[in-house]
Amino acid sequence: MSRVKWFLLVLVLITGSLIAGDWWSVVPPESQPQYVGRQSCIECHQQEHKNWTGSDHDLAMDLATPETVLGNFDHVEFEHLGVKTLFEREGDKFFATTEGPTGKPEKFAIKYVFGVRPLQQYMVEFPDGRVQVLSVCWDTKKQQWFDLHPHERIAPDDWLHWTQGGSNWNYMCAECHSTNVHKNFDLAKNTYHTTFSEIDVSCEACHGPGSIHVDLAQAKSLFWDRHWGYGLAQLKSSNVAELEACAKCHSHRRVVCGGHQAQRHFNDHYEQQLISTGLYHVDGQILEEVYELGSYHQSRMFREGVKCTNCHDPHSTRVKFEGNKLCLQCHTLSKGNYDSPAHHHHKPDGVGALCVECHMPTRNYMVVDPRRDHSIRVPRPDLTVKLGVPNACQNCHNKPHETAGWAAAQVAEWFPNRKHEPHFGEVFAQARGGEASAMDDLFKLTQRKGNRDQAKNVGPIVRASAASLLVNYPLSETRRELEKLLKDEDAVVRVTAARTIAAQTPRSESDATRLREALSPLLTDPSRLVRTEAARLLTVLPPDLFSTADKVRFERAFAEWQEGLQEVIDDAGTHIELALAFENRGDRARAQEEYQTALRLRPNEMQALQARMNLAMLAHFEKRDDETERLYGECIVLATGTLRKLEGERQAQPDNPTTLAAIDEQRRRLSGVLFNMGLLLTDKPDRQNDAFEALRKAAEVDASNARIQYNLGLLAVQLGKLADAEAALKKACEMDGQMLDARQALTELYRKQKRWPEAIDSAAKLLLFGEQYRGILEQIKREEKDEG
């Protein structure tokens, strides 16, 4: 028996040692997982693969073959606003003859198909590695061709033309339609050699590279790895981890740094766009093609911890249940009888009884693609009355008498005891208009977090958007609250607060010191987004303002910012950002090089204008006046053409808020270029009449700019155009009652003309700026007396 006991003891010890050794042995922590392809996954995950097959992710992109092409290529011609496109098939190959980059018809081979429902797009590969997406698409529901720009003929040199940057797959699309994409852009040659592991959105696009997981699964071990777990991202750990895996592609964002994989922090690689004009309605409803993240971050569902996969099957990408059963997973009878006329006040079998029709209304994108608003909001037709935003009710109720006011009255009648927290959209609308009373409400919005009742909170995107609107108020009144937000738990709030503080250029050494004190701690922020943006913002400060330690931290973060931009080095906007930073740092040669690179990379109109404008200012600084004038002239032509095109879009869609906002912005740009040209020519005695015309046009284009009116008035005085001078200076004073220069100039004009009543009245208004101007008033009174 003793031998048996000893044998068993030794066996236990050996077995225990082997098990302990098995547990202790690990994959080295520094190992880099590699992409292995979905074939490595299917053996163990057959059901998941079956669900994925035929999904929107599976069909996100494919080679153009008889099995994948859905459009009619049987020698069919489609014409759109005078541009003809002929679709043909030759054996197993597909072709489109259409307007090419030169404006002449060319025959293009279709290499890839893009998407499957409700539309399919077709892609052409060019010799320089660019893959371009045709603007003529196939409507898979109606079985017909259509153009993505139904109301506009896009010129071949327009950034939106299918051969230009706006339809470039490598930059605009590839990252989210294929797996493990590497653009491989050659800046010197302006060419692409783009690669991907798998052509569609496959397993590793969401779960991350799977080599370690596969090795662990195939290992003769009792355990997963004590460091790596099962070798894949823990997407089920929280709604944030899961949402950030989806957010890479389901968000309107800018790139901070490449290399995003599952469970890496979203804000180390991207920055989602805020609730801003042109992207969202003022109350946060979707407007532009913003996808889902920004909307969902507004929702109470997000704040309550609801995940994407609570509603969507992650592999088929379809919703888990049809109809109201989806919502009734959580909104059960114990919480209220939601699926009945007592709640929705519509016929039980009608469209109005569906939860999503009221709480997730759709908006069409790409002409035929309806997408639901994931802010999951209560219908508020009363906000339509107040703010002019859409409401779900009027998507169906569109008879003449069914106005927003009518809908609001119906809702009030159905829910007489419902009380809403003040909606952030009302505050945003007031703040965009610069109303002083909105400032305190913005402060309150930035702090609406941490309440047990999530209905009283708002999401980080709302809080950050509120912080961004504080830029409309004096920094002296907002600085204290903004500096608090620099320590907020949400990176998007911190970075927005930093930008808002830095938006006011330091005017004194004390201003510069305070900016440094506020932003320098962010240079070591845990979020790459925050620390790199802090470095960019701090480039406006002279190096000698930093301590030795801060200089080291700044240089490290600034280098990290530049490194991150390498992912988007094929975008002209990236080079403009680099140029601005180098210009701030006094490196004008490098700045000029970056602006010129931006112009070489097929920029859109806005980027081309900004690059030329800034090159002109650099040339002016270096007293290269002929080059400055040439560049300003090119800017005027470019800005005028863009404005004319936008005005054409407005005629086609008079109420499109995105177009209206773009027109306002373009008017300011054109006015700014004309203004700069006017100032340049003012200094040349033989060109002052040309300068006057430039300033006059600037004033016409932007009739709200007091500074333009002031300079126009001064030049008119020099040219003896006294009536024009008076009109311009009066407008300047009316537009900006705090513009001392304009008031002084108008007073002096009246004095020289011996128009004593007007001179005395204008001089009296100078006293609003201080008693030190009383001497001017007394002098004019003496001159009037002497004259009389």
Side-chain angles (χ1 to χ4, degrees), residues 59-74 76 78 85-89 92-99 108-126 130-148 161-164 166-170 173 177 366 368:
L59 304 175
M61 181 173 165
D62 217 326
L63 290 169
T65 68
E67 294 73 34
T68 61
V69 172
L70 303 178
N72 184 354
F73 278 76
D74 296 333
V76 171
F78 172 78
T85 303
L86 178 65
F87 295 96
E88 299 176 286
R89 177 175 174 176
D92 288 347
K93 295 184 178 180
F94 300 83
F95 298 88
T97 301
T98 190
E99 181 182 70
F108 299 96
I110 305 299
K111 184 167 185 177
Y112 301 108
V113 298
F114 221 39
V116 64
R117 50 183 165 253
L119 70 153
Q120 187 174 69
Q121 295 176 273
Y122 302 93
M123 302 158 68
V124 174
E125 186 172 47
F126 283 76
R130 281 176 168 77
V131 177
Q132 300 294 136
V133 187
L134 288 169
S135 61
V136 181
C137 309
W138 181 252
D139 184 329
T140 59
K141 184 177 181 180
K142 294 182 178 179
Q143 294 288 292
Q144 64 185 26
W145 294 104
F146 72 97
D147 195 280
L148 289 174
H161 192 266
W162 78 269
T163 61
Q164 300 294 335
S167 294
N168 174 245
W169 166 82
N170 314 72
C173 318
H177 280 258
M366 303 183 80
V368 299

Side-chain angles (χ1 to χ4, degrees), residues 341-345 378 409-419:
H343 175 71
H344 55 63
H345 296 273
V378 173
Q410 286 288 107
V411 172
E413 181 182 329
W414 292 340
F415 303 99
N417 298 320
R418 176 177 289 172
K419 293 183 179 179

Side-chain angles (χ1 to χ4, degrees), residues 236-524:
K236 297 180 180 179
S237 60
S238 72
N239 73 324
V240 173
E242 184 178 287
L243 184 63
E244 290 197 344
C246 305
K248 167 187 173 182
C249 296
H250 292 270
S251 63
H252 192 292
R253 77 303 193 264
R254 75 170 182 90
V255 174
V256 173
C257 180
H260 179 270
Q261 294 175 8
Q263 214 160 6
R264 291 184 179 176
H265 292 300
F266 179 80
N267 285 323
D268 283 338
H269 297 272
Y270 306 100
E271 178 186 14
Q272 75 174 85
Q273 299 301 295
L274 302 182
I275 302 171
S276 57
T277 303
L279 292 180
Y280 296 86
H281 290 284
V282 71
D283 66 337
Q285 291 186 75
I286 56 175
L287 175 59
E288 191 48 79
E289 191 174 15
V290 290
Y291 309 100
E292 291 78 29
L293 179 69
S295 300
Y296 194 61
H297 270 171
Q298 299 175 44
S299 74
R300 184 172 176 179
M301 303 298 113
F302 169 70
R303 300 196 297 276
E304 295 281 8
V306 176
K307 304 177 183 178
C308 306
T309 54
N310 290 131
C311 298
H312 298 270
D313 182 290
H315 299 103
S316 72
T317 71
R318 297 297 190 186
V319 292
K320 288 185 173 181
F321 305 103
E322 294 299 324
N324 290 350
K325 185 179 179 181
L326 183 70
C327 303
L328 293 175
Q329 293 179 95
C330 298
H331 297 276
T332 59
L333 288 175
S334 62
K335 298 179 181 179
N337 193 8
Y338 294 108
D339 194 18
S340 78
H343 175 71
H344 55 63
H345 296 273
H346 287 78
K347 294 178 181 179
D349 58 348
V351 173
L354 295 174
C355 306
V356 292
E357 292 302 316
C358 294
H359 299 288
M360 299 182 69
T362 61
R363 182 178 176 87
N364 266 26
Y365 297 96
M366 303 183 80
V367 184
V368 299
D369 189 4
R371 302 182 196 169
R372 294 201 176 275
D373 189 323
H374 278 64
S375 57
I376 316 176
R377 60 184 61 228
V378 173
R380 293 288 301 273
D382 60 306
L383 291 180
T384 305
V385 176
K386 295 177 183 177
L387 306 176
V389 296
N391 68 81
C393 307
Q394 290 183 288
N395 285 348
C396 298
H397 296 282
N398 48 27
K399 295 177 182 177
H401 74 280
E402 293 174 332
T403 63
W406 168 85
Q410 286 288 107
V411 172
E413 181 182 329
W414 292 340
F415 303 99
N417 298 320
R418 176 177 289 172
K419 293 183 179 179
H420 294 290
E421 289 284 327
H423 197 278
F424 66 79
E426 299 173 74
V427 180
F428 285 6
Q430 293 170 352
R432 288 180 184 180
E435 294 186 26
S437 61
M439 185 174 67
D440 287 338
D441 291 329
L442 290 174
F443 291 155
K444 292 173 184 175
L445 273 174
T446 63
Q447 299 301 325
R448 277 181 60 179
K449 60 175 183 175
N451 296 298
R452 289 188 177 182
D453 181 0
Q454 288 290 359
K456 295 181 179 179
N457 294 329
V458 293
I461 187 174
V462 177
R463 298 174 53 240
S465 300
S468 73
L469 287 169
L470 289 170
V471 76
N472 295 332
Y473 300 91
L475 184 58
S476 58
E477 299 178 33
T478 61
R479 185 192 297 273
R480 183 177 178 184
E481 294 298 323
L482 286 168
E483 288 181 348
K484 291 179 185 176
L485 296 178
L486 295 175
K487 300 176 182 178
D488 194 87
E489 61 189 19
D490 286 303
V492 67
V493 176
R494 296 197 299 277
V495 77
T496 305
R499 284 199 192 104
T500 306
I501 289 172
Q504 180 174 303
T505 305
R507 297 181 178 178
S508 65
E509 187 174 338
S510 62
D511 286 348
T513 299
R514 188 150 188 186
L515 178 63
R516 175 186 59 76
E517 290 172 347
L519 300 195
S520 288
L522 299 182
L523 293 170
T524 54

Side-chain angles (χ1 to χ4, degrees), residues 188-210:
K189 297 179 180 178
N190 196 8
T191 58
Y192 287 96
H193 304 279
T194 304
T195 63
F196 44 72
S197 297
E198 296 183 83
I199 197 170
D200 46 22
V201 182
S202 196
C203 310
E204 293 165 294
C206 301
H207 292 282

Side-chain angles (χ1 to χ4, degrees), residues 658-778:
T658 302
T659 302
L660 295 176
I663 287 173
D664 288 342
E665 181 62 28
Q666 192 61 26
R667 283 185 173 278
R668 284 191 288 272
R669 291 195 189 105
L670 176 55
S671 178
V673 181
L674 288 164
F675 179 62
N676 285 350
M677 178 69 95
L679 294 182
L680 174 70
L681 299 180
T682 295
D683 295 333
K684 300 181 178 183
D686 60 333
R687 302 291 303 279
Q688 287 189 339
N689 284 318
D690 294 332
F692 181 81
E693 279 303 301
L695 292 175
R696 184 186 60 78
K697 288 178 182 177
E700 285 180 1
V701 173
D702 184 0
S704 63
N705 191 312
R707 180 58 58 180
I708 293 174
Q709 296 288 352
Y710 166 67
N711 283 89
L712 177 61
L714 290 185
L715 182 56
V717 170
Q718 291 183 44
L719 294 173
K721 300 176 184 285
L722 300 185
D724 290 325
E726 180 184 1
L729 292 172
K730 283 177 70 175
K731 284 181 182 178
C733 292
E734 290 165 3
M735 291 174 185
D736 185 355
Q738 300 301 310
M739 185 178 284
L740 173 61
D741 294 344
R743 176 59 60 188
Q744 287 180 308
L746 183 60
T747 302
E748 181 63 12
L749 175 64
Y750 288 142
R751 189 187 71 79
K752 287 185 175 180
Q753 291 180 303
K754 299 183 179 182
R755 294 166 59 180
W756 305 119
E758 292 95 331
I760 289 171
D761 178 67
S762 187
K765 291 175 181 176
L766 280 172
L767 297 180
L768 296 173
F769 296 93
E771 280 297 313
Q772 65 268 35
Y773 298 103
R774 183 170 294 280
I776 296 175
L777 176 60
E778 296 302 328

Side-chain angles (χ1 to χ4, degrees), residues 4-229:
V4 172
K5 289 179 181 179
W6 276 108
F7 174 76
L8 291 174
L9 178 61
V10 171
L11 182 62
V12 168
L13 289 172
I14 292 172
T15 303
S17 298
L18 290 173
I19 292 173
D22 183 21
W23 176 82
W24 185 258
S25 63
V26 294
V27 176
E30 66 274 10
S31 298
Q32 294 295 320
Q34 305 299 314
Y35 287 84
V36 294
R38 63 175 169 268
Q39 292 303 318
S40 300
C41 310
I42 295 173
E43 180 181 351
C44 298
H45 302 284
Q46 294 181 20
Q47 185 59 50
E48 288 81 0
H49 179 259
K50 182 180 178 181
N51 292 345
W52 172 86
T53 302
S55 69
D56 287 353
H57 282 173
D58 177 21
L59 304 175
M61 181 173 165
D62 217 326
L63 290 169
T65 68
E67 294 73 34
T68 61
V69 172
L70 303 178
N72 184 354
F73 278 76
D74 296 333
H75 200 77
V76 171
E77 186 175 79
F78 172 78
E79 184 172 352
H80 172 66
L81 299 178
V83 178
K84 296 179 180 180
T85 303
L86 178 65
F87 295 96
E88 299 176 286
R89 177 175 174 176
E90 298 175 6
D92 288 347
K93 295 184 178 180
F94 300 83
F95 298 88
T97 301
T98 190
E99 181 182 70
T102 64
K104 297 179 180 179
E106 296 181 47
K107 188 174 183 177
F108 299 96
I110 305 299
K111 184 167 185 177
Y112 301 108
V113 298
F114 221 39
V116 64
R117 50 183 165 253
L119 70 153
Q120 187 174 69
Q121 295 176 273
Y122 302 93
M123 302 158 68
V124 174
E125 186 172 47
F126 283 76
D128 61 2
R130 281 176 168 77
V131 177
Q132 300 294 136
V133 187
L134 288 169
S135 61
V136 181
C137 309
W138 181 252
D139 184 329
T140 59
K141 184 177 181 180
K142 294 182 178 179
Q143 294 288 292
Q144 64 185 26
W145 294 104
F146 72 97
D147 195 280
L148 289 174
H149 308 283
H151 306 293
E152 185 181 5
R153 188 198 186 291
I154 305 298
D157 61 349
D158 192 310
W159 190 77
L160 293 175
H161 192 266
W162 78 269
T163 61
Q164 300 294 335
S167 294
N168 174 245
W169 166 82
N170 314 72
Y171 174 73
M172 299 290 290
C173 318
E175 184 182 15
C176 289
H177 280 258
S178 299
T179 301
N180 187 29
V181 173
H182 293 275
K183 284 189 292 186
N184 297 324
F185 177 69
D186 187 323
L187 180 61
K189 297 179 180 178
N190 196 8
T191 58
Y192 287 96
H193 304 279
T194 304
T195 63
F196 44 72
S197 297
E198 296 183 83
I199 197 170
D200 46 22
V201 182
S202 196
C203 310
E204 293 165 294
C206 301
H207 292 282
S211 61
I212 290 177
H213 173 69
V214 171
D215 290 344
L216 291 172
Q218 294 175 345
K220 308 296 184 182
S221 173
L222 298 174
F223 307 100
W224 292 108
D225 192 269
R226 60 189 175 90
H227 286 322
W228 285 90

